[in-house]
Amino acid sequence: MATELIRPILTVDVVLLTLHDDRIQVVLQAREKAPHAGQLALIGGYVHPEEDPSTQTAAARVLRGKAGLSVRVLEQLMTFSGGSRDPRGWSASVAYYALLPHRDFAARGDASLRMLPVAEAKGLPFDHDAIVAGAIQRCRRRAAYSSLPAFLLPPEFTLPELRRAYEAALGRSLNDSAFRRKIDELRMIEPVAGSLSKVTARPAQLFRLTKANVVEFDRTV
Amino acid sequence: MATELIRPILTVDVVLLTLHDDRIQVVLQAREKAPHAGQLALIGGYVHPEEDPSTQTAAARVLRGKAGLSVRVLEQLMTFSGGSRDPRGWSASVAYYALLPHRDFAARGDASLRMLPVAEAKGLPFDHDAIVAGAIQRCRRRAAYSSLPAFLLPPEFTLPELRRAYEAALGRSLNDSAFRRKIDELRMIEPVAGSLSKVTARPAQLFRLTKANVVEFDRTV
DNA sequence: ACTTGTTATTTGCAATTTGCTATTTGTGTG
DNA sequence: CACACAAATAGCAAATTGCAAATAACAAGT
């Protein structure tokens, strides 16, 4: 066997995204240990080959173990690697992004977790700035032709809420009536019995997704 | 320090794609060593932390070292991991896809390399079937809104050739005049002085890309 | 009960984009 | 010099999208 002696460090990092104030926000966690102890960073940890069937399940385990959260969408972004990204040595981190309805985050009430608008999440340790940027870019791209943004919302939502989720994910405003037409044609959602009463105006119809997982469309939203 | 004792195997695998007979084809290589010695598989190898600045450069090194090839497009697909994908133990492989003009492949003339239409590249060792499928899916998606397919062609090409490259990548036929309009509006290519003479018909104008790297569009092609 | 304010939802074109089908152009061939 | 053939262009018809006005439903104040 040649030079497979040195095996690099393998970790997972999760870019946990949620929607609040009509903006995409990242959930960060204060690091417990060195390096960068005390600083806000992505939720991450070592891959444990003896217990993790894959990096995907490792990411879910870390999310549950360190933040007490489980999510409906957890997708792999890409792997970041190199000798200088982590002072402990040459490492590779398989990055994931996860989507969480804000109410689930709020209900958790974990003091170590902190939510920040993506534009303000700068100066993070390691190469986490680049990982966050990559996650946002991927989500933006994917939002254009999939039901992804719906997973930033609770299971039941109104059309205006869904539109705002798409607008936040895409980073641009959408034409309301055209949006309704498209969503209707894509058969992405179905109405639920009840109605939501916004305090001071006409109540909106509640909808739910027709499919429990992210679906991709041939057309663009 | 907890359980970071076991460090997994880290490798890279490259899905090398080219265009021939109007179809996307994968270039595979006969494995020199066990496991699966002699079988056709993706071009891949160990990551060498001491010499590789990143997995990206590791992939380029492996491509150069094992196939003698350098490519203009080498993009990360995703990482495949688990305890059963490689008999040597728990491993993670960072997969890349690369695009190569067929003439560059043909010029190489390496007997260990074999080109197969993607539909026929089945039953590969490890989880390479899944990696190939993932690469094709990603390329198909990306072809819809980028200049990616142009990198399956030599630096100078005709519009009919470019359209056939898009058709092969997208897996569907395109309307010729609409395609020309779009490509024109996207300012993706520029004409070159000469003309190509197909044996028995009107010669086509030669074009080259205006940008040396893959560019993404807001609109779809 | 009635008016006002506010947001949801629908409707009806106008403007733009796309799909399709001729037409025209440039080259080799017989 | 007519013919075959593929490249390139041109001209609508059809489909999609953007915009703005009209309508609907509810809360709160008069």
Side-chain angles (χ1 to χ4, degrees), chain A residues 52 76 79 81 90 141 216, chain B residues 52 76 79 90 141 216:
Chain A
D52 295 322
Q76 190 182 130
T79 296
S81 62
W90 206 102
R141 203 36 109 168
E216 299 192 358
Chain B
D52 294 324
Q76 190 182 128
T79 295
W90 206 102
R141 205 33 110 170
E216 298 192 357

Side-chain angles (χ1 to χ4, degrees), chain A residues 44-57:
Chain A
Y46 286 104
V47 173
H48 295 164
E50 67 283 4
E51 65 170 309
D52 295 322
S54 67
T55 55
Q56 173 87 28
T57 56

Side-chain angles (χ1 to χ4, degrees), chain A residues 3-4 6-10 46-50 52-55 76 78-79 81-83 90 92 138 141 145 216-217, chain B residues 3-4 6-10 46-50 52-55 76 78-79 81-83 90 92 138 141 145 216-217:
Chain A
T3 41
E4 57 149 322
I6 304 174
R7 289 186 178 183
I9 298 165
L10 186 65
Y46 286 104
V47 173
H48 295 164
E50 67 283 4
D52 295 322
S54 67
T55 55
Q76 190 182 130
M78 65 178 287
T79 296
S81 62
W90 206 102
R138 174 77 65 88
R141 203 36 109 168
Y145 55 81
E216 299 192 358
F217 314 126
Chain B
T3 40
E4 57 150 322
I6 304 174
R7 290 186 177 184
I9 297 166
L10 186 65
Y46 286 105
V47 173
H48 296 164
E50 67 283 5
D52 294 324
S54 69
T55 55
Q76 190 182 128
M78 67 176 287
T79 295
S81 62
W90 206 102
R138 175 77 66 87
R141 205 33 110 170
Y145 56 83
E216 298 192 357
F217 314 126

Side-chain angles (χ1 to χ4, degrees), chain B:
Chain B
M1 285 291 137
T3 40
E4 57 150 322
L5 298 167
I6 304 174
R7 290 186 177 184
I9 297 166
L10 186 65
T11 60
V12 289
D13 283 301
V14 180
V15 183
L16 181 58
L17 300 173
T18 189
L19 179 67
H20 192 59
D21 285 340
D22 288 341
R23 287 185 296 182
I24 303 291
Q25 316 234 357
V26 201
V27 176
L28 301 171
Q29 184 165 44
R31 286 184 57 81
E32 288 198 345
K33 306 177 191 171
H36 304 296
Q39 279 190 58
L40 285 178
L42 293 176
I43 299 164
Y46 286 105
V47 173
H48 296 164
E50 67 283 5
E51 64 170 309
D52 294 324
S54 69
T55 55
Q56 173 88 27
T57 56
R61 172 181 59 72
V62 164
L63 207 46
R64 190 169 351 94
K66 296 207 172 174
L69 292 168
S70 65
V71 293
R72 285 185 298 162
V73 174
L74 178 64
E75 298 182 346
Q76 190 182 128
L77 172 60
M78 67 176 287
T79 295
F80 294 76
S81 62
S84 54
R85 54 182 301 280
D86 188 319
R88 287 165 289 191
W90 206 102
S91 68
S93 173
V94 187
Y96 286 80
Y97 59 89
L99 303 190
L100 188 73
H102 178 260
R103 79 158 58 147
D104 293 2
F105 168 73
R108 182 78 187 108
D110 185 326
S112 75
L113 298 178
R114 177 83 182 284
M115 183 179 75
L116 280 179
V118 285
E120 296 169 23
K122 302 289 182 189
L124 303 181
F126 308 106
D127 53 356
H128 289 190
D129 279 1
I131 299 179
V132 170
I136 294 300
Q137 190 183 329
R138 175 77 66 87
C139 286
R140 177 161 302 191
R141 205 33 110 170
R142 201 162 157 69
Y145 56 83
S146 78
S147 61
L148 194 73
F151 292 86
L152 292 164
L153 302 173
E156 299 190 353
F157 48 82
T158 68
L159 271 176
E161 285 169 351
L162 183 63
R163 179 170 50 77
R164 281 193 292 270
Y166 269 95
E167 289 176 339
L170 293 170
R172 64 191 176 88
S173 63
L174 297 173
N175 182 274
D176 185 62
S177 69
F179 177 76
R180 285 164 184 271
R181 259 189 314 231
K182 281 256 183 134
I183 294 297
D184 185 48
E185 287 163 7
L186 292 170
R187 309 244 174 275
M188 186 181 119
I189 58 177
E190 59 192 13
V192 184
S195 297
L196 214 184
S197 59
K198 305 296 278 186
V199 212
T200 177
R202 174 177 176 173
Q205 173 66 50
L206 280 175
F207 293 87
R208 71 164 74 91
L209 289 169
T210 53
K211 309 285 181 186
N213 34 11
V214 180
V215 293
E216 298 192 357
F217 314 126
D218 290 331
R219 304 200 297 153
T220 195
V221 172

Side-chain angles (χ1 to χ4, degrees), chain A:
Chain A
M1 286 293 133
T3 41
E4 57 149 322
L5 298 167
I6 304 174
R7 289 186 178 183
I9 298 165
L10 186 65
T11 61
V12 288
D13 283 301
V14 180
V15 182
L16 182 58
L17 300 174
T18 188
L19 180 66
H20 192 60
D21 285 342
D22 288 342
R23 287 185 297 182
I24 303 291
Q25 316 234 358
V26 201
V27 176
L28 301 171
Q29 185 165 42
R31 286 183 58 82
E32 289 198 344
K33 305 177 190 171
H36 305 294
Q39 280 190 58
L40 285 177
L42 293 176
I43 298 164
Y46 286 104
V47 173
H48 295 164
E50 67 283 4
E51 65 170 309
D52 295 322
S54 67
T55 55
Q56 173 87 28
T57 56
R61 172 181 59 73
V62 165
L63 207 44
R64 188 169 353 93
K66 297 206 172 174
L69 292 168
S70 64
V71 293
R72 285 185 299 160
V73 174
L74 178 65
E75 298 182 346
Q76 190 182 130
L77 173 60
M78 65 178 287
T79 296
F80 294 76
S81 62
S84 53
R85 56 181 300 281
D86 188 320
R88 287 165 289 190
W90 206 102
S91 67
S93 172
V94 187
Y96 287 79
Y97 59 90
L99 303 190
L100 188 73
H102 178 261
R103 80 158 59 144
D104 294 2
F105 168 73
R108 182 78 187 105
D110 184 326
S112 74
L113 299 178
R114 177 83 182 285
M115 183 179 75
L116 280 179
V118 286
E120 296 169 23
K122 303 289 181 188
L124 303 182
F126 308 106
D127 52 357
H128 288 190
D129 279 0
I131 298 179
V132 170
I136 294 300
Q137 190 183 330
R138 174 77 65 88
C139 287
R140 177 162 301 190
R141 203 36 109 168
R142 201 162 156 69
Y145 55 81
S146 78
S147 61
L148 194 74
F151 292 85
L152 291 165
L153 302 174
E156 299 190 353
F157 48 82
T158 69
L159 270 176
E161 286 169 350
L162 183 63
R163 179 169 51 76
R164 282 193 290 272
Y166 269 95
E167 289 176 338
L170 292 169
R172 65 193 174 88
S173 63
L174 297 173
N175 182 276
D176 184 62
S177 67
F179 177 76
R180 285 164 184 272
R181 258 188 316 230
K182 281 257 185 134
I183 294 296
D184 184 49
E185 289 164 5
L186 292 171
R187 306 243 176 279
M188 187 180 117
I189 58 176
E190 58 192 13
V192 183
S195 296
L196 213 184
S197 58
K198 305 294 280 185
V199 211
T200 176
R202 173 176 176 174
Q205 172 66 49
L206 280 176
F207 293 88
R208 72 164 73 91
L209 289 169
T210 52
K211 309 284 181 185
N213 34 12
V214 180
V215 292
E216 299 192 358
F217 314 126
D218 289 333
R219 305 201 295 153
T220 196
V221 173

